Each structure stands twice: as structure tokens, then as C-alpha cells.
Amino acid sequence: MFCKVDILINCAAKIKRMPTLTMPEEEWADILDTNLTGTLRACQSSASHAGTAAGRIVNIASLNSFVALTEVAAYAASKAALSP
């Protein structure tokens, strides 16, 4: 069993292409839960097992944080929230 974390790379993501005005709230919540809340959970979990002060966390966002793509509003919102 591993007892410390030296690096965490958060890159899991879920995307669903559909018009924003007809997207069910459950679908929106599911995407944000995976892309944003999942990142928070992984950071919290790994921080408690950090190996050294030199440990690193890398959160992967998306070009969609800066450039609008059509019909992926939930994905864009979740990834923009990870961007610096």
C-alpha cells in the first residue's frame, strides 16, 4: 500500500454536447460534480497523504475556459472554475 502522495494530476472530465436552454439540471449537476467537485475531493484526499512540502497538485482545465465552444456550457463552467 502507498503511504504518501508526491503528485496529483486531476484530469478526469465529463462533457455532454446539448443546447444550454434544454439541458436538464441533473445533467448540469452531474458534469459539475465530476469536473469540479471531483477535483476538490481528490485535492482534499491527497493533501492529507502528502509526502513532502515539495509535493504538487496539477489541475487540468481546458482551452474551453478561454474560447467559447457551442453547446458545452456545463463543461466550460466547470473547467473555467479550475483556471487561474
Side-chain angles (χ1 to χ4, degrees):
M1 180 170 151
F2 299 106
C3 46
K4 66 179 185 139
V5 176
D6 292 322
I7 187 165
L8 167 67
I9 300 176
N10 285 310
C11 61
K14 185 180 281 190
I15 189 169
K16 173 124 187 197
R17 185 174 295 276
M18 69 181 338
T20 306
L21 296 178
T22 59
M23 175 178 271
E25 189 172 333
E26 297 79 23
E27 190 73 46
W28 175 276
D30 185 49
I31 292 170
L32 265 66
D33 189 50
T34 299
N35 299 359
L36 187 55
T37 308
T39 297
L40 171 66
R41 290 179 188 135
C43 289
Q44 290 174 330
S45 176
S46 68
S48 65
H49 300 293
T52 66
R56 297 290 182 254
I57 295 176
V58 178
N59 295 322
I60 305 297
S62 171
L63 179 63
N64 193 219
S65 301
F66 307 103
V67 178
L69 300 176
T70 61
E71 298 185 338
V72 291
Y75 175 81
S78 68
K79 291 302 187 173
L82 297 176
S83 298

